[in-house]
Amino acid sequence: MEKAVVTLNRFIIEEERKHPAATGDFTSILHDIALAAKLISRAVNKAGLIDILGGTGDENVHGERVQKLDEYANQVIFNALDHGGRLCLMASEESAEPIPIPKQFPKGDYVLLYDPLDGSSNIDANVSIGTIFSVHHRRDPRHGDGAIEDLLQPGTRQVAAGYVLYGSSTMLVYTTGMGVHGFTLDNSIGEFLLSHPMIRIPKPGKRIYSVNEAYSDRWSAEQRKLVERLKGKGRFSLRYIGSLVADFHRTLLYGGLFMYPADSSAPNGKLRLLYEVSPLSMVCEQAGGAATDGQRRILDIVPEELHQRVPIYIGNQEYVELANECIGG
Ligand code: AHM
Ligand code: MG
């Protein structure tokens, strides 16, 4: 007998059936995210073939060069999710302000925060890049259009989080708080198929640390001590792709410690709490790992602003604990 393949749609419908009170909103949001992921995956795969590479010359809200595929991905996600009636507000790393749902569409009870194409400086070199997403229930159902408070919620309140990795294959990995599941896109049928059910970060994980060590002259003494202690443990390897989703995905599947610490020129590190750090931290914790800023559990941090940055130490619990010991004192 042919083994039944489990598509993403089947999986999310079956997961939803386990919750009799579920409204179907989630199924719809994840379905729309998956559609956007397929469209972005197609564009990423074609990037080398068509004249789409290179910057637009514009800068995003962080003063970085925006590349065409970033804009495309940003728009595709918005277009896939603006009309379903499940969201009341969105926010994107590429947009300075919250993104309202167009007036003609009904509003729902959820907000979506996303980094449409992380690691975009790697596009020209054909290095893996990714999309990261985070879903929250809005705080006050009376806010028809959603408000900034609905976006500025701590990671513990995420109802779903995940990422799409555009690598040697395209994978969608997500959690709704009941484990982490990974799906691989079969391009020939245009479906995400369950390939990695119930992902657990391996314990003990591989001895890999991942950090941009070229910045070590800007690190604090504590950060230097941490990396020295990791090296002192022996048999550690260094892996750093410089593309967060790819570095995180490896950490999730092989184990290890990924860090983007604070340094003297970036006192809060580089990565954004709401679009990058918080969703990946939920995924990591759900897979049995941990994530802190060196002191605080990432998911407990109450955001103060939309584009807030935060240092991150994420991976196997024992390595994150070592980071807390060195950094937090
Ligand atoms: P981006 O959001 O502008 O794409 O930048 C985020 C990327 C991450 O993917 C990666 O972890 C980090 O920047 C690498 O930064 P650095 O080059 O400073 O090591
Ligand atoms: Mg990013």
Side-chain angles (χ1 to χ4, degrees), residues 267-327:
N268 294 309
K270 178 183 185 187
L271 302 176
R272 288 87 181 173
L273 176 61
L274 290 172
Y275 310 107
E276 296 165 326
V277 172
S278 198
L280 297 186
S281 297
M282 182 180 181
V283 171
C284 194
E285 283 200 5
Q286 279 293 314
T292 70
D293 68 351
Q295 280 175 306
R296 297 171 293 176
R297 179 184 175 218
I298 293 290
L299 296 183
D300 287 335
I301 299 174
V302 180
E304 283 162 18
E305 54 188 31
L306 217 41
H307 294 281
Q308 182 173 336
R309 298 174 198 261
V310 69
I312 182 172
Y313 299 85
I314 188 167
N316 281 109
Q317 275 180 24
E318 62 176 289
Y319 302 145
V320 174
E321 275 161 23
L322 179 67
N324 293 345
E325 198 184 305
C326 293
I327 308 293

Short mmCIF file of all heavy atoms in Angstrom, two decimals, residues 267-327:
data_model
loop_
_atom_site.label_atom_id
_atom_site.label_comp_id
_atom_site.label_asym_id
_atom_site.label_seq_id
_atom_site.Cartn_x
_atom_site.Cartn_y
_atom_site.Cartn_z
N PRO A 267 24.26 48.19 20.65
CA PRO A 267 24.04 47.86 22.07
C PRO A 267 22.90 46.87 22.30
O PRO A 267 22.83 46.24 23.35
CB PRO A 267 23.73 49.21 22.71
CG PRO A 267 23.62 50.20 21.61
CD PRO A 267 24.16 49.62 20.35
N ASN A 268 22.00 46.72 21.33
CA ASN A 268 20.94 45.72 21.47
C ASN A 268 21.05 44.64 20.41
O ASN A 268 20.07 43.98 20.08
CB ASN A 268 19.56 46.39 21.38
CG ASN A 268 19.32 47.31 22.56
OD1 ASN A 268 19.50 46.90 23.70
ND2 ASN A 268 18.97 48.56 22.29
N GLY A 269 22.24 44.48 19.86
CA GLY A 269 22.39 43.50 18.78
C GLY A 269 21.76 44.03 17.50
O GLY A 269 21.51 45.23 17.36
N LYS A 270 21.49 43.13 16.59
CA LYS A 270 20.95 43.56 15.29
C LYS A 270 19.52 43.06 15.06
O LYS A 270 18.74 43.69 14.35
CB LYS A 270 21.85 42.99 14.19
CG LYS A 270 21.39 43.31 12.79
CD LYS A 270 22.29 42.66 11.76
CE LYS A 270 21.91 43.06 10.33
NZ LYS A 270 22.65 42.31 9.32
N LEU A 271 19.20 41.93 15.64
CA LEU A 271 17.97 41.25 15.24
C LEU A 271 16.75 41.85 15.96
O LEU A 271 16.86 42.33 17.09
CB LEU A 271 18.10 39.75 15.49
CG LEU A 271 19.28 39.13 14.74
CD1 LEU A 271 19.45 37.65 15.09
CD2 LEU A 271 19.13 39.31 13.23
N ARG A 272 15.63 41.80 15.29
CA ARG A 272 14.41 42.44 15.82
C ARG A 272 13.59 41.46 16.63
O ARG A 272 13.32 40.35 16.19
CB ARG A 272 13.52 42.98 14.69
CG ARG A 272 14.09 44.19 13.99
CD ARG A 272 14.96 43.75 12.93
NE ARG A 272 15.59 44.86 12.20
CZ ARG A 272 16.52 44.66 11.30
NH1 ARG A 272 16.94 43.45 11.02
NH2 ARG A 272 17.03 45.68 10.68
N LEU A 273 13.16 41.97 17.78
CA LEU A 273 12.40 41.13 18.72
C LEU A 273 11.14 40.55 18.06
O LEU A 273 10.91 39.35 18.11
CB LEU A 273 12.04 41.96 19.95
CG LEU A 273 11.16 41.27 21.00
CD1 LEU A 273 11.84 40.03 21.56
CD2 LEU A 273 10.83 42.24 22.13
N LEU A 274 10.35 41.42 17.46
CA LEU A 274 9.01 40.97 17.05
C LEU A 274 8.98 40.18 15.75
O LEU A 274 8.13 39.31 15.58
CB LEU A 274 8.07 42.17 16.94
CG LEU A 274 7.71 42.80 18.29
CD1 LEU A 274 6.95 44.10 18.10
CD2 LEU A 274 6.88 41.82 19.13
N TYR A 275 9.89 40.50 14.83
CA TYR A 275 9.82 39.85 13.51
C TYR A 275 10.73 38.64 13.40
O TYR A 275 10.55 37.82 12.51
CB TYR A 275 10.24 40.85 12.41
CG TYR A 275 9.53 42.16 12.51
CD1 TYR A 275 10.18 43.30 12.95
CD2 TYR A 275 8.19 42.26 12.16
CE1 TYR A 275 9.54 44.51 13.04
CE2 TYR A 275 7.53 43.46 12.25
CZ TYR A 275 8.21 44.58 12.70
OH TYR A 275 7.56 45.78 12.80
N GLU A 276 11.75 38.58 14.25
CA GLU A 276 12.76 37.53 14.10
C GLU A 276 12.94 36.72 15.38
O GLU A 276 12.77 35.50 15.40
CB GLU A 276 14.11 38.17 13.70
CG GLU A 276 14.04 38.86 12.35
CD GLU A 276 15.21 39.81 12.07
OE1 GLU A 276 15.71 40.45 13.02
OE2 GLU A 276 15.61 39.92 10.90
N VAL A 277 13.29 37.42 16.45
CA VAL A 277 13.75 36.74 17.66
C VAL A 277 12.62 36.03 18.41
O VAL A 277 12.74 34.86 18.81
CB VAL A 277 14.46 37.77 18.57
CG1 VAL A 277 14.80 37.18 19.91
CG2 VAL A 277 15.73 38.28 17.87
N SER A 278 11.50 36.72 18.55
CA SER A 278 10.40 36.13 19.32
C SER A 278 9.80 34.89 18.63
O SER A 278 9.64 33.83 19.27
CB SER A 278 9.35 37.22 19.55
OG SER A 278 8.52 36.87 20.58
N PRO A 279 9.49 34.98 17.32
CA PRO A 279 8.95 33.76 16.69
C PRO A 279 9.92 32.58 16.71
O PRO A 279 9.52 31.44 17.01
CB PRO A 279 8.63 34.20 15.25
CG PRO A 279 9.13 35.59 15.08
CD PRO A 279 9.40 36.15 16.44
N LEU A 280 11.20 32.83 16.44
CA LEU A 280 12.15 31.71 16.46
C LEU A 280 12.32 31.16 17.87
O LEU A 280 12.54 29.96 18.06
CB LEU A 280 13.50 32.14 15.86
CG LEU A 280 13.46 32.56 14.38
CD1 LEU A 280 14.87 32.81 13.86
CD2 LEU A 280 12.75 31.52 13.50
N SER A 281 12.20 32.04 18.87
CA SER A 281 12.31 31.57 20.26
C SER A 281 11.14 30.66 20.62
O SER A 281 11.32 29.67 21.33
CB SER A 281 12.36 32.77 21.22
OG SER A 281 13.51 33.53 20.96
N MET A 282 9.95 30.99 20.13
CA MET A 282 8.81 30.09 20.40
C MET A 282 9.05 28.73 19.76
O MET A 282 8.82 27.69 20.37
CB MET A 282 7.51 30.70 19.87
CG MET A 282 6.30 29.83 20.16
SD MET A 282 4.76 30.55 19.54
CE MET A 282 3.56 29.30 20.08
N VAL A 283 9.53 28.75 18.51
CA VAL A 283 9.81 27.48 17.82
C VAL A 283 10.86 26.70 18.63
O VAL A 283 10.69 25.50 18.89
CB VAL A 283 10.31 27.74 16.39
CG1 VAL A 283 10.81 26.46 15.75
CG2 VAL A 283 9.19 28.36 15.53
N CYS A 284 11.92 27.37 19.04
CA CYS A 284 13.01 26.69 19.74
C CYS A 284 12.53 26.08 21.06
O CYS A 284 12.82 24.92 21.36
CB CYS A 284 14.16 27.67 19.98
SG CYS A 284 15.68 26.84 20.46
N GLU A 285 11.78 26.87 21.83
CA GLU A 285 11.27 26.33 23.11
C GLU A 285 10.35 25.15 22.86
O GLU A 285 10.39 24.15 23.59
CB GLU A 285 10.53 27.42 23.89
CG GLU A 285 11.46 28.40 24.56
CD GLU A 285 10.78 29.16 25.69
OE1 GLU A 285 9.60 28.86 26.01
OE2 GLU A 285 11.43 30.06 26.25
N GLN A 286 9.52 25.25 21.84
CA GLN A 286 8.58 24.16 21.54
C GLN A 286 9.33 22.89 21.13
O GLN A 286 8.79 21.80 21.21
CB GLN A 286 7.62 24.58 20.43
CG GLN A 286 6.47 25.43 20.94
CD GLN A 286 5.53 24.64 21.84
OE1 GLN A 286 5.15 23.53 21.52
NE2 GLN A 286 5.17 25.20 22.98
N ALA A 287 10.56 23.07 20.64
CA ALA A 287 11.36 21.91 20.23
C ALA A 287 12.27 21.44 21.37
O ALA A 287 13.14 20.61 21.16
CB ALA A 287 12.19 22.26 18.99
N GLY A 288 12.11 22.03 22.56
CA GLY A 288 12.89 21.58 23.71
C GLY A 288 14.14 22.41 23.96
O GLY A 288 14.93 22.08 24.83
N GLY A 289 14.32 23.48 23.20
CA GLY A 289 15.48 24.35 23.39
C GLY A 289 15.13 25.56 24.23
O GLY A 289 14.07 25.60 24.88
N ALA A 290 16.01 26.56 24.21
CA ALA A 290 15.80 27.75 25.02
C ALA A 290 16.30 28.97 24.26
O ALA A 290 17.06 28.84 23.30
CB ALA A 290 16.57 27.62 26.34
N ALA A 291 15.85 30.14 24.70
CA ALA A 291 16.30 31.39 24.07
C ALA A 291 16.23 32.52 25.08
O ALA A 291 15.19 32.70 25.74
CB ALA A 291 15.41 31.73 22.87
N THR A 292 17.35 33.24 25.22
CA THR A 292 17.37 34.40 26.12
C THR A 292 18.13 35.54 25.47
O THR A 292 18.73 35.36 24.40
CB THR A 292 18.08 34.07 27.47
OG1 THR A 292 19.48 33.91 27.21
CG2 THR A 292 17.54 32.81 28.11
N ASP A 293 18.09 36.70 26.14
CA ASP A 293 18.92 37.81 25.66
C ASP A 293 20.23 37.85 26.46
O ASP A 293 20.92 38.85 26.49
CB ASP A 293 18.17 39.14 25.76
CG ASP A 293 17.93 39.57 27.20
OD1 ASP A 293 18.18 38.77 28.13
OD2 ASP A 293 17.47 40.72 27.40
N GLY A 294 20.52 36.76 27.16
CA GLY A 294 21.71 36.70 28.02
C GLY A 294 21.31 36.80 29.48
O GLY A 294 22.07 36.46 30.37
N GLN A 295 20.06 37.25 29.69
CA GLN A 295 19.54 37.38 31.05
C GLN A 295 18.10 36.94 31.14
O GLN A 295 17.72 36.10 31.94
CB GLN A 295 19.63 38.85 31.51
CG GLN A 295 21.00 39.23 31.97
CD GLN A 295 21.07 40.70 32.30
OE1 GLN A 295 20.72 41.56 31.48
NE2 GLN A 295 21.53 41.00 33.49
N ARG A 296 17.31 37.55 30.25
CA ARG A 296 15.86 37.31 30.30
C ARG A 296 15.44 36.30 29.25
O ARG A 296 15.99 36.28 28.14
CB ARG A 296 15.10 38.61 30.00
CG ARG A 296 15.32 39.71 30.98
CD ARG A 296 14.72 41.00 30.47
NE ARG A 296 15.41 41.50 29.27
CZ ARG A 296 15.04 42.58 28.57
NH1 ARG A 296 13.96 43.25 28.93
NH2 ARG A 296 15.73 42.96 27.53
N ARG A 297 14.43 35.49 29.59
CA ARG A 297 13.81 34.63 28.59
C ARG A 297 13.21 35.54 27.51
O ARG A 297 12.47 36.50 27.83
CB ARG A 297 12.72 33.81 29.27
CG ARG A 297 11.96 32.87 28.35
CD ARG A 297 10.85 32.21 29.15
NE ARG A 297 10.01 31.38 28.30
CZ ARG A 297 8.69 31.27 28.43
NH1 ARG A 297 8.05 31.93 29.39
NH2 ARG A 297 8.01 30.48 27.63
N ILE A 298 13.55 35.27 26.26
CA ILE A 298 13.06 36.14 25.18
C ILE A 298 11.54 36.26 25.21
O ILE A 298 10.99 37.37 25.06
CB ILE A 298 13.50 35.58 23.80
CG1 ILE A 298 15.02 35.67 23.63
CG2 ILE A 298 12.74 36.28 22.66
CD1 ILE A 298 15.61 37.04 23.47
N LEU A 299 10.85 35.15 25.41
CA LEU A 299 9.38 35.17 25.28
C LEU A 299 8.71 36.01 26.37
O LEU A 299 7.54 36.37 26.24
CB LEU A 299 8.82 33.75 25.28
CG LEU A 299 9.24 32.87 24.10
CD1 LEU A 299 8.55 31.51 24.17
CD2 LEU A 299 8.91 33.54 22.76
N ASP A 300 9.45 36.33 27.45
CA ASP A 300 8.87 37.15 28.51
C ASP A 300 9.06 38.64 28.28
O ASP A 300 8.50 39.46 29.00
CB ASP A 300 9.51 36.80 29.86
CG ASP A 300 9.04 35.45 30.38
OD1 ASP A 300 7.92 35.03 30.00
OD2 ASP A 300 9.78 34.83 31.16
N ILE A 301 9.86 39.01 27.29
CA ILE A 301 10.17 40.43 27.10
C ILE A 301 8.93 41.16 26.55
O ILE A 301 8.35 40.73 25.55
CB ILE A 301 11.36 40.62 26.14
CG1 ILE A 301 12.61 39.96 26.73
CG2 ILE A 301 11.60 42.10 25.83
CD1 ILE A 301 13.82 39.97 25.80
N VAL A 302 8.56 42.22 27.24
CA VAL A 302 7.42 43.02 26.77
C VAL A 302 7.95 44.07 25.80
O VAL A 302 8.75 44.92 26.18
CB VAL A 302 6.70 43.70 27.96
CG1 VAL A 302 5.51 44.52 27.47
CG2 VAL A 302 6.25 42.65 28.98
N PRO A 303 7.54 44.00 24.55
CA PRO A 303 8.08 44.94 23.57
C PRO A 303 7.65 46.37 23.85
O PRO A 303 6.53 46.61 24.32
CB PRO A 303 7.48 44.48 22.23
CG PRO A 303 6.69 43.26 22.52
CD PRO A 303 6.56 43.09 23.98
N GLU A 304 8.56 47.30 23.58
CA GLU A 304 8.22 48.70 23.76
C GLU A 304 7.98 49.38 22.43
O GLU A 304 7.26 50.35 22.33
CB GLU A 304 9.35 49.42 24.50
CG GLU A 304 9.31 49.10 25.97
CD GLU A 304 10.59 49.41 26.68
OE1 GLU A 304 11.41 50.18 26.14
OE2 GLU A 304 10.76 48.87 27.79
N GLU A 305 8.64 48.89 21.40
CA GLU A 305 8.39 49.46 20.07
C GLU A 305 8.49 48.39 19.00
O GLU A 305 9.13 47.35 19.19
CB GLU A 305 9.34 50.62 19.79
CG GLU A 305 10.78 50.26 19.96
CD GLU A 305 11.69 51.47 19.86
OE1 GLU A 305 11.26 52.57 20.21
OE2 GLU A 305 12.82 51.29 19.40
N LEU A 306 7.87 48.71 17.88
CA LEU A 306 7.69 47.73 16.81
C LEU A 306 9.00 47.16 16.28
O LEU A 306 9.12 45.98 16.02
CB LEU A 306 6.92 48.44 15.68
CG LEU A 306 5.89 47.69 14.87
CD1 LEU A 306 5.03 46.77 15.71
CD2 LEU A 306 5.04 48.68 14.08
N HIS A 307 9.98 48.03 16.10
CA HIS A 307 11.21 47.58 15.45
C HIS A 307 12.37 47.38 16.43
O HIS A 307 13.53 47.42 16.05
CB HIS A 307 11.59 48.56 14.33
CG HIS A 307 10.60 48.55 13.20
ND1 HIS A 307 10.58 47.58 12.23
CD2 HIS A 307 9.55 49.37 12.93
CE1 HIS A 307 9.57 47.81 11.38
NE2 HIS A 307 8.94 48.89 11.80
N GLN A 308 11.98 47.14 17.69
CA GLN A 308 12.97 46.95 18.76
C GLN A 308 13.94 45.80 18.46
O GLN A 308 13.54 44.75 17.97
CB GLN A 308 12.16 46.60 20.01
CG GLN A 308 12.91 46.39 21.26
CD GLN A 308 11.91 46.24 22.44
OE1 GLN A 308 10.77 46.72 22.38
NE2 GLN A 308 12.35 45.59 23.49
N ARG A 309 15.21 46.03 18.76
CA ARG A 309 16.22 44.98 18.60
C ARG A 309 16.55 44.38 19.95
O ARG A 309 16.38 45.04 20.98
CB ARG A 309 17.51 45.56 18.01
CG ARG A 309 17.34 46.15 16.62
CD ARG A 309 18.63 46.83 16.19
NE ARG A 309 18.41 47.76 15.10
CZ ARG A 309 18.64 47.48 13.81
NH1 ARG A 309 19.09 46.30 13.46
NH2 ARG A 309 18.42 48.38 12.89
N VAL A 310 17.06 43.17 19.92
CA VAL A 310 17.39 42.50 21.18
C VAL A 310 18.52 41.50 20.91
O VAL A 310 18.55 40.86 19.86
CB VAL A 310 16.11 41.83 21.75
CG1 VAL A 310 15.66 40.64 20.91
CG2 VAL A 310 16.26 41.39 23.18
N PRO A 311 19.48 41.37 21.86
CA PRO A 311 20.49 40.32 21.69
C PRO A 311 19.83 38.95 21.80
O PRO A 311 18.79 38.82 22.45
CB PRO A 311 21.44 40.53 22.89
CG PRO A 311 21.10 41.86 23.46
CD PRO A 311 19.68 42.14 23.10
N ILE A 312 20.42 37.95 21.19
CA ILE A 312 19.81 36.62 21.28
C ILE A 312 20.86 35.52 21.46
O ILE A 312 21.92 35.56 20.84
CB ILE A 312 18.92 36.31 20.05
CG1 ILE A 312 18.26 34.92 20.21
CG2 ILE A 312 19.68 36.40 18.74
CD1 ILE A 312 17.22 34.58 19.19
N TYR A 313 20.52 34.58 22.35
CA TYR A 313 21.27 33.34 22.56
C TYR A 313 20.23 32.23 22.47
O TYR A 313 19.32 32.17 23.30
CB TYR A 313 21.94 33.33 23.94
CG TYR A 313 22.92 34.47 24.08
CD1 TYR A 313 22.49 35.74 24.49
CD2 TYR A 313 24.27 34.29 23.77
CE1 TYR A 313 23.38 36.80 24.58
CE2 TYR A 313 25.16 35.34 23.86
CZ TYR A 313 24.71 36.60 24.25
OH TYR A 313 25.59 37.64 24.33
N ILE A 314 20.33 31.38 21.47
CA ILE A 314 19.24 30.44 21.20
C ILE A 314 19.82 29.09 20.79
O ILE A 314 20.80 29.02 20.05
CB ILE A 314 18.29 31.03 20.12
CG1 ILE A 314 17.02 30.19 19.94
CG2 ILE A 314 18.98 31.21 18.76
CD1 ILE A 314 15.93 30.90 19.13
N GLY A 315 19.22 28.04 21.33
CA GLY A 315 19.68 26.69 20.97
C GLY A 315 19.46 25.71 22.10
O GLY A 315 18.47 25.82 22.84
N ASN A 316 20.40 24.78 22.27
CA ASN A 316 20.29 23.79 23.34
C ASN A 316 20.27 24.49 24.70
O ASN A 316 21.04 25.43 24.94
CB ASN A 316 21.50 22.84 23.33
CG ASN A 316 21.38 21.77 22.28
OD1 ASN A 316 22.10 21.82 21.29
ND2 ASN A 316 20.49 20.83 22.47
N GLN A 317 19.42 23.98 25.59
CA GLN A 317 19.28 24.60 26.91
C GLN A 317 20.62 24.75 27.64
O GLN A 317 20.91 25.79 28.21
CB GLN A 317 18.36 23.74 27.77
CG GLN A 317 16.91 24.08 27.54
CD GLN A 317 15.98 23.23 28.38
OE1 GLN A 317 16.35 22.70 29.42
NE2 GLN A 317 14.75 23.09 27.90
N GLU A 318 21.45 23.70 27.58
CA GLU A 318 22.71 23.77 28.37
C GLU A 318 23.61 24.89 27.86
O GLU A 318 24.30 25.54 28.64
CB GLU A 318 23.44 22.43 28.34
CG GLU A 318 23.87 22.00 26.95
CD GLU A 318 24.69 20.71 26.96
OE1 GLU A 318 25.85 20.75 27.41
OE2 GLU A 318 24.17 19.70 26.49
N TYR A 319 23.59 25.15 26.56
CA TYR A 319 24.45 26.22 26.03
C TYR A 319 23.85 27.60 26.34
O TYR A 319 24.57 28.56 26.60
CB TYR A 319 24.65 26.07 24.52
CG TYR A 319 25.26 24.74 24.11
CD1 TYR A 319 24.89 24.12 22.92
CD2 TYR A 319 26.23 24.12 24.90
CE1 TYR A 319 25.45 22.91 22.54
CE2 TYR A 319 26.78 22.91 24.53
CZ TYR A 319 26.39 22.31 23.34
OH TYR A 319 26.94 21.12 22.97
N VAL A 320 22.51 27.68 26.29
CA VAL A 320 21.86 28.96 26.63
C VAL A 320 22.09 29.27 28.10
O VAL A 320 22.33 30.43 28.48
CB VAL A 320 20.36 28.93 26.25
CG1 VAL A 320 19.64 30.19 26.71
CG2 VAL A 320 20.20 28.75 24.73
N GLU A 321 22.05 28.23 28.93
CA GLU A 321 22.32 28.45 30.37
C GLU A 321 23.75 28.94 30.58
O GLU A 321 23.99 29.83 31.40
CB GLU A 321 22.10 27.15 31.16
CG GLU A 321 20.64 26.98 31.53
CD GLU A 321 20.27 25.55 31.90
OE1 GLU A 321 21.17 24.78 32.29
OE2 GLU A 321 19.08 25.21 31.77
N LEU A 322 24.68 28.39 29.83
CA LEU A 322 26.07 28.86 29.93
C LEU A 322 26.16 30.33 29.51
O LEU A 322 26.86 31.14 30.15
CB LEU A 322 26.97 28.00 29.03
CG LEU A 322 28.45 28.38 29.03
CD1 LEU A 322 29.10 28.12 30.40
CD2 LEU A 322 29.21 27.61 27.94
N ALA A 323 25.42 30.68 28.46
CA ALA A 323 25.39 32.08 28.02
C ALA A 323 24.84 32.97 29.13
O ALA A 323 25.42 34.03 29.43
CB ALA A 323 24.55 32.22 26.75
N ASN A 324 23.77 32.55 29.77
CA ASN A 324 23.19 33.35 30.86
C ASN A 324 24.19 33.52 32.01
O ASN A 324 24.29 34.61 32.58
CB ASN A 324 21.93 32.68 31.42
CG ASN A 324 20.80 32.66 30.41
OD1 ASN A 324 20.84 33.38 29.40
ND2 ASN A 324 19.81 31.82 30.65
N GLU A 325 24.90 32.45 32.29
CA GLU A 325 25.88 32.48 33.37
C GLU A 325 26.99 33.50 33.05
O GLU A 325 27.39 34.28 33.89
CB GLU A 325 26.48 31.07 33.46
CG GLU A 325 27.19 30.73 34.72
CD GLU A 325 27.79 29.32 34.56
OE1 GLU A 325 27.03 28.37 34.25
OE2 GLU A 325 29.02 29.19 34.72
N CYS A 326 27.45 33.49 31.79
CA CYS A 326 28.55 34.40 31.42
C CYS A 326 28.06 35.84 31.23
O CYS A 326 28.71 36.78 31.68
CB CYS A 326 29.19 33.94 30.11
SG CYS A 326 30.07 32.38 30.27
N ILE A 327 26.93 36.00 30.57
CA ILE A 327 26.47 37.35 30.21
C ILE A 327 25.69 37.98 31.35
O ILE A 327 25.91 39.14 31.71
CB ILE A 327 25.56 37.33 28.94
CG1 ILE A 327 26.24 36.58 27.78
CG2 ILE A 327 25.13 38.73 28.53
CD1 ILE A 327 27.46 37.23 27.21
#
